[in-house]
Amino acid sequence: MITKQSARRTSATAKRVLQQLGHDRRSVALMLVVPAVLLILFKYVYTGNAALFDQIGPQLLGIFPFIIMFLVTSVTMVRERTSGTLERLLTTPLARGELIGGYALAFGSAALLQSVVTTAVALGPLSMKVNSVWVIAVFAIVDALLGTALGLLMSAFARTEFQAVQFMPAIVLPQLLLCGLLNPRPEMAVVLRWISNVLPLSYVTDAFTRARTVQGLDAQMWRDLAILTGCLILALGLASTTLRRRTP
Amino acid sequence: MMNKAEYAIRIQDLVVVRGRRLVLDELSATIGAGSVTGLLGPSGCGKTTLIRCIAGIQLVKSGTVEVLGEPAGVATLRSRVAYVTQASSVYPDLTVMQNLVYFAALTDRSASDVAKALDQVGLTANRTDLTGNLSGGQRTRVSLAAALLCEPELFLLDEPTVGLDPVLRRDLWKLFGDLAAAGHTLLVSSHVMDEAARCEQVLLLREGKLIADDTPDGLRHQTGQDDLEQAFLTLAERAGHPEEPNADQERQAS
């Protein structure tokens, strides 16, 4: 049940997280600019092979928000856990769902802004071809939220910010290798394909690949969206169980 | 001064075990409503654990803690009890004002409550400063202000005066007294024995056991010591723990 107070606490939390981000101008600049710069780099690395860039360009649009939101969220949340503010928050009327909702709202909007910048650079100066821009936006938000949710979850297993950063290669890189970016999934060895089937980033990549050629959302993209939403809910649910009020 | 029927906290046979260590050992006590109660004892004696039990965030082995007529930790108590941890638990990367406005929003308080709390802790001039740039004592006061603005019925303050200069300490103790006079209940922990003199009721904790529960005058009377520090030593010896005082501190380090 969403009451007025509950909505107020959630939005206050989102505002607070964004204010914290706002005081860290350098991080904001890196979040907004780095993906676009990387995309430009990819474009010129594949100068002689425009077809290849046309193929992986849209996939990259889906991968950046995921990686960056995972990192930002897990580090922020570890900070919240180790500084004692989480313990304090859990003694206030703020519910766990409201806290997680606030985080998702704040980082979701940051991800949207990042996607707008990256997509604008991709479609403009880099003349990447995509059929439906809004489809890109929808999937970018969902997969940024998925990154946020996994970051929240993994923060429970990190005692320090340094450990949280180490989770990035551990959780994200295997997904990056198996998602179909480097080699299309149907061409992978059977076992690897099975593994890639249970990794959420694979469905992000599938959807962004189809966004290049398909108009709007086709049945398979709806399926991808459903799977990603399911993963998102599962990760958020698991993350909320790691926020224990009573601790030893 | 304290009406026995009017208690804010009632603890019965509380046992807390952390790892293999017995932190609180069958502790029972009642804390009067509308008063300042001091929780005193050396570092590592279990003060923070006891406060966490009352805040409802500590896993306990057995025993009960009743707070404002309800079991500690139930959701309805979260707007009636404020817990200020020993380390200042506010956001260093927000301004003082942004911190307080956030905590005000969580408990449905307004901007005027924020202004009042800032004034109470003497940080009005620092409201636009980044909290992380303040001194340790100032950060502690931001943390305290975040609790004050919620106007809870019960304040749980874990060593709120550590590292403050004597003038500020005196001002804060005056504030605690004023809050109690206005009907709030305060449980204030400290390892500085002279702070016990400012409380109406004093709980002395040593190695997880309650060795005294009395008024400051009562403590002086029962030990025949004028100085509360000496009174504590007498009580500790009576309780039969002839260990070196340093043993406690070493234990806390783990």
Side-chain angles (χ1 to χ4, degrees):
Chain A
M1 190 182 68
I2 298 170
T3 63
K4 207 174 141 194
Q5 279 99 344
S6 172
R8 190 180 173 205
R9 288 191 293 261
T10 308
S11 65
T13 303
K15 188 177 150 202
R16 183 265 293 176
V17 173
L18 288 174
Q19 280 174 336
Q20 286 181 288
L21 207 56
H23 282 288
D24 189 355
R25 299 267 164 82
R26 196 172 298 171
S27 290
V28 172
L30 286 169
M31 272 173 67
L32 292 181
V33 173
V34 168
V37 171
L38 287 177
L39 213 54
I40 295 169
L41 199 59
F42 264 94
K43 167 90 175 176
Y44 289 104
V45 165
Y46 291 116
T47 301
N49 195 345
L52 192 57
F53 180 73
D54 283 345
Q55 186 201 320
I56 67 162
Q59 296 175 338
L60 287 172
L61 287 182
I63 287 164
F64 290 137
F66 178 78
I67 295 177
I68 292 176
M69 289 307 141
F70 176 85
L71 258 182
V72 171
T73 313
S74 55
V75 171
T76 315
M77 202 61 196
V78 166
R79 219 180 271 169
E80 184 107 79
R81 285 175 196 273
T82 53
S83 69
T85 47
L86 180 66
E87 183 176 74
R88 179 177 205 155
L89 290 180
L90 293 176
T91 65
T92 70
L94 182 72
R96 291 181 294 187
E98 293 161 6
L99 176 64
I100 289 182
Y103 263 94
L105 212 58
F107 288 137
S109 27
L112 180 63
L113 194 63
Q114 182 197 60
S115 269
V116 167
V117 173
T118 319
T119 310
V121 170
L123 301 182
L126 301 185
S127 48
M128 187 189 289
K129 281 167 207 71
V130 173
N131 262 339
S132 306
V133 177
W134 65 269
V135 173
I136 297 273
V138 168
F139 276 96
I141 293 172
V142 172
D143 91 276
L145 286 177
L146 187 64
T148 298
L150 286 177
L152 281 172
L153 178 59
M154 292 319 292
S155 73
F157 304 100
R159 285 181 176 223
T160 62
E161 292 167 38
F162 190 51
Q163 285 182 3
V165 174
Q166 304 304 318
F167 274 126
M168 207 281 278
I171 301 294
V172 176
L173 278 189
Q175 300 203 55
L176 208 59
L177 291 175
L178 296 173
C179 71
L181 176 72
L182 304 179
N183 194 16
R185 295 207 296 137
E187 292 169 24
M188 285 179 194
V190 176
V191 176
L192 291 183
R193 201 164 67 230
W194 286 343
I195 299 173
S196 84
N197 280 342
V198 295
L199 297 176
L201 199 60
S202 308
Y203 298 93
V204 175
T205 311
D206 283 1
F208 277 87
T209 309
R210 293 182 76 77
R212 192 164 57 95
T213 49
V214 173
Q215 194 73 44
L217 286 172
D218 68 359
Q220 207 181 327
M221 286 157 87
W222 275 112
R223 188 208 62 177
D224 293 337
L225 195 60
I227 291 173
L228 288 171
T229 311
C231 290
L232 176 63
I233 292 168
L234 183 68
L236 286 178
L238 287 173
S240 90
T241 64
T242 67
L243 300 174
R244 295 185 188 281
R245 273 184 213 281
R246 280 183 193 269
T247 48
Chain B
M1 192 174 283
M2 183 183 124
N3 180 353
K4 286 283 178 200
E6 277 272 302
Y7 58 82
I9 303 169
R10 186 163 65 171
I11 302 159
Q12 278 178 312
D13 303 322
L14 185 63
V15 179
V16 174
V17 176
R18 272 165 123 178
R20 285 188 185 168
R21 205 187 128 208
L22 184 63
V23 185
L24 294 178
D25 187 5
E26 302 225 345
L27 194 138
S28 298
T30 56
I31 289 168
S35 66
V36 184
T37 299
L39 177 60
L40 285 108
S43 291
C45 69
K47 296 190 297 287
T48 299
T49 305
L50 180 57
I51 290 180
R52 284 171 46 87
C53 290
I54 298 166
I57 53 171
Q58 175 70 50
L59 285 169
V60 303
K61 186 155 182 269
S62 61
T64 56
V65 182
E66 196 187 309
V67 178
L68 304 172
E70 296 188 80
V74 298
T76 48
L77 282 176
R78 281 180 211 134
S79 53
R80 301 173 68 198
V81 178
Y83 170 38
V84 181
T85 53
Q86 198 173 342
S88 61
S89 43
V90 283
Y91 299 96
D93 47 357
L94 290 183
T95 66
V96 172
M97 197 68 182
Q98 286 172 334
N99 262 306
L100 297 186
V101 167
Y102 176 52
F103 284 102
L106 297 185
T107 41
D108 254 328
R109 302 292 151 164
S110 65
S112 63
D113 295 310
V114 172
K116 188 179 156 200
L118 269 174
D119 185 49
Q120 281 173 319
V121 298
L123 283 176
T124 307
N126 302 88
R127 65 187 182 281
T128 54
D129 292 353
L130 208 57
T131 308
N133 291 345
L134 299 177
S135 71
Q138 286 172 320
R139 273 204 299 274
T140 305
R141 284 185 283 151
V142 178
S143 199
L144 184 61
L148 287 170
L149 60 85
C150 312
E151 298 196 324
E153 290 164 57
L154 172 64
F155 285 93
L156 302 172
L157 310 178
D158 199 357
E159 309 229 355
T161 58
V162 167
L164 296 185
D165 81 68
V167 178
L168 268 170
R169 256 172 56 174
R170 184 200 61 199
D171 291 351
L172 280 185
W173 276 101
K174 185 180 175 303
L175 173 64
F176 299 160
D178 292 347
L179 287 168
H184 300 273
T185 304
L186 295 93
L187 179 65
V188 185
S189 82
S190 174
H191 64 267
V192 187
M193 290 306 297
D194 65 7
E195 296 201 318
R198 304 169 193 262
C199 305
E200 288 155 65
Q201 183 189 357
V202 180
L203 302 178
L204 282 185
L205 205 57
R206 183 170 158 79
E207 296 185 348
K209 283 184 193 281
L210 196 62
I211 59 171
D213 175 0
D214 211 332
T215 60
D217 282 339
L219 287 177
R220 292 190 187 100
H221 182 73
Q222 71 166 281
T223 56
Q225 301 278 3
D226 272 347
D227 182 44
L228 286 169
E229 182 96 39
Q230 289 300 322
F232 178 78
L233 285 173
T234 309
L235 288 163
E237 277 160 20
R238 261 187 223 164
H241 290 282
E243 286 175 45
E244 293 168 75
N246 281 342
D248 284 315
Q249 270 145 31
E250 278 159 29
R251 213 162 283 146
Q252 208 205 10
S254 63

